[in-house]
Amino acid sequence: MPPIYRKSKLLRRSRVIWGSFNLWRPRLVFWTGALAIGVISVGFAKLADLAQRAFTGVTQSGEWMWLLPLLLTPLGFVLSAYLAATLFPNSQGSGIPQAIAARHLHHEEDRTKLLSLRLAFGKIVLTILGLLSGASIGREGPTVQVGASFMLAVARFGGMAQAKGLILAGSAAGIAAAFNTPLAGIVFAIEEMSRTYESRANGLVLTAVILSGLAALGLSGSYNYFGTADAAPTMFRDWIVMLICGVGGGALGATFSGLALYAGIRIRRWAQPQPLKRMLILAGLCGLVVAAIGVLSGGQTFGTGYEQARGAVEGHALPLLFFVEKLLASFLSMISGIPGGIFAPSLAVGAGFGSTVGTLIGGSIALAAILGMAGYFAGVVQAPMTAFVIILEMTGDHQAVIPIMAVSMIGYVTSRLLSREPLYHGLSRVFIAAAIRARRAMDKESGEEHAAH
């Protein structure tokens, strides 16, 4: 065989191998990123649980230690708000509005201000700090911002250009791994994050959810978030509970989301002359009231509310006014400006509301708690399919499929009648408007420089 022929054959083979590598590299990077989101979500969950247990352990360790939150919680709120404003801007709040806003922005630089590895790190650290301080927050919303940030950064390294689809995939993977609810992750991505079905992104979402879910399963095993429930309507009063949980839960959810959007507008106007100083004052005051509510409730309203919600799902009635106290603590934690989500606290409020309804009507506490979660959660996020699927997957209560579905829909309709704008999308407009203003100022400045030259 002539040397020239052998050389050309080797050259062609190397081009095929290199071309094949270039074709597979983005996929391998994407798959690695999805697996990493699952690992990070599990680690985040374990750290959050440790933080909450540490706060509970310290505040219940002595005769007068139950008063410690009156000092610890306001200081923690102020420190968290300060770090969020100075070191990790745009890490405040849930993180879901930032991910939604990033999908509407067209410049990579603008998206990076909302989703980056730096912000993901800050989000995890400050959410854990909030839980160490007794804030009524959750880690699930922050996991969405962390997942979207990580996926966007990893995909940029792999040369993938589908920014919107990647944000969607990272968000879905975060929710799926955080709750161990793969179906809910997919439905959340379609219904809440995008509000439309995007056929081009469905493969990315499905792949990301599967891989992050596999990573989470490998580390944590198979489990239901609230254990396995076996509650079903058996009496006429259970159907009355269903109606009350749907209408009442939806109205409560609409009240929470409507007040949160209104308060956000008022707070931004009030803080305008001295934003950092005034936001720190607000954080301290919110922390003090959250601490007072927690002390008066015997520590029931501190943290995510997971233990209280799980107890109600297992049939243990909560105090009649727990849902009011938890709702107020969650609202104040949200408007304080500290990073932290509302997913888990919302489920706790819903479970408390359902428990109260079940206690007063005389029905099944477990069923009422599950229906209360469905009605209130659907009312807050105005995403009935997500509410139905996520609660069904978290409780495993397949005997109450139709009641959960019906209550989610009733809660959604009630909420839409009272509050027209979905909470997360309303909050996302703040970040979109800020990005547009910054972009216009940048364009104006560059135009002036060009004219001067």
Side-chain angles (χ1 to χ4, degrees):
M1 189 179 292
I4 297 174
Y5 177 78
R6 283 201 303 269
K7 188 175 180 180
S8 64
K9 189 175 181 181
L10 287 170
L11 185 62
R12 285 197 304 270
R13 187 177 296 171
S14 65
R15 284 175 178 170
V16 169
I17 293 170
W18 181 248
S20 179
F21 174 74
N22 284 338
L23 181 66
W24 281 94
R25 180 188 170 190
R27 297 176 186 176
L28 291 171
V29 170
F30 175 74
W31 295 342
T32 304
L35 288 168
I37 289 171
V39 174
I40 292 168
S41 298
V42 171
F44 188 11
K46 292 187 182 300
L47 288 173
D49 291 342
L50 285 173
Q52 188 162 326
R53 283 199 294 269
F55 175 83
T56 303
V58 169
T59 55
Q60 295 181 0
S61 60
E63 186 177 354
W64 294 101
M65 295 301 282
W66 59 276
L67 289 172
L68 185 61
L70 295 175
L71 175 65
L72 182 63
T73 304
L75 288 177
F77 271 54
V78 170
L79 178 60
S80 183
Y82 175 77
L83 293 174
T86 55
L87 294 182
F88 306 106
N90 294 323
S91 68
Q92 296 90 339
S94 164
I96 295 175
Q98 289 92 318
I100 293 173
R103 295 191 74 248
H104 289 84
L105 301 176
H106 303 291
H107 294 88
E108 184 177 343
E109 184 182 350
D110 296 338
R111 284 195 293 265
T112 305
K113 291 178 182 178
L114 300 176
L115 302 173
S116 68
L117 293 180
R118 175 188 173 87
L119 273 177
F121 172 77
K123 195 75 171 187
I124 292 173
V125 171
L126 296 184
T127 300
I128 291 167
L129 174 60
L131 290 170
L132 272 172
S133 308
S136 181
I137 56 175
R139 58 174 169 79
E140 294 79 16
T143 306
V144 169
Q145 189 176 12
V146 170
S149 297
F150 199 81
M151 186 60 76
L152 204 58
V154 166
R156 195 179 298 123
F157 171 76
M160 299 180 71
Q162 296 172 278
K164 290 186 177 182
L166 292 166
I167 293 169
L168 207 60
S171 302
I175 282 291
F179 282 118
N180 190 35
T181 51
L183 287 178
I186 294 168
V187 174
F188 171 80
I190 295 170
E191 184 180 37
E192 181 59 25
M193 286 295 299
S194 66
R195 293 273 161 176
T196 57
Y197 180 76
E198 300 177 19
S199 58
R200 287 184 300 174
N202 67 343
L204 289 174
V205 170
L206 186 59
T207 304
V209 167
I210 290 170
L211 292 173
S212 67
L214 285 173
L217 280 173
L219 293 171
S220 300
S222 181
Y223 68 96
N224 287 337
Y225 191 80
F226 286 126
T228 302
D230 193 23
T234 56
M235 300 177 289
F236 177 71
R237 67 183 65 178
D238 290 332
W239 296 100
I240 296 175
V241 168
M242 186 184 81
L243 184 62
I244 295 173
C245 285
V247 175
L252 271 178
T255 301
F256 179 90
S257 59
L259 285 175
L261 291 172
Y262 176 76
I265 295 170
R266 301 295 297 177
I267 288 169
R268 284 191 296 277
R269 289 176 181 171
W270 171 76
Q272 203 56 46
Q274 299 170 300
L276 181 59
K277 179 182 177 181
R278 293 198 173 190
M279 287 307 296
L280 294 182
I281 292 171
L282 175 68
L285 291 174
C286 288
L288 184 61
V289 179
V290 168
I293 295 169
V295 168
L296 291 173
S297 69
Q300 292 283 300
T301 59
F302 289 127
T304 62
Y306 168 78
E307 295 294 337
Q308 290 76 18
R310 177 158 187 162
V313 170
E314 291 174 348
H316 307 294
L318 292 167
L320 292 179
L321 293 179
F322 167 78
F323 76 94
V324 177
E325 297 166 336
K326 187 63 177 174
L327 189 150
L328 184 56
S330 302
F331 177 77
L332 291 169
S333 297
M334 182 180 181
I335 67 169
S336 68
I338 67 171
I342 62 169
F343 256 75
S346 294
L347 295 173
V349 172
F353 175 69
S355 172
T356 297
V357 172
T359 301
L360 296 176
I361 300 296
S364 164
I365 298 297
L367 178 65
I370 292 170
L371 297 180
M373 285 195 290
Y376 180 76
F377 189 74
V380 170
V381 301
Q382 292 190 1
M385 286 179 63
T386 300
F388 157 65
V389 174
I390 204 168
I391 289 166
L392 184 63
E393 282 193 286
M394 285 192 301
T395 62
D397 190 4
H398 295 282
Q399 293 197 50
V401 170
I402 298 301
I404 295 171
M405 194 182 297
V407 168
S408 298
M409 198 63 205
I410 294 170
Y412 164 72
V413 171
T414 303
S415 180
R416 288 288 289 175
L417 290 173
L418 297 174
S419 179
R420 299 298 297 173
E421 188 166 38
L423 176 61
Y424 290 135
H425 286 262
L427 294 173
S428 72
R429 287 182 185 153
V430 177
F431 296 101
I432 295 170
I436 291 173
R437 284 196 301 271
R439 175 60 53 184
R440 286 175 178 170
M442 192 184 302
D443 292 343
K444 183 179 179 182
E445 185 178 340
S446 62
E448 289 175 352
E449 288 178 2
H450 182 73
H453 289 300

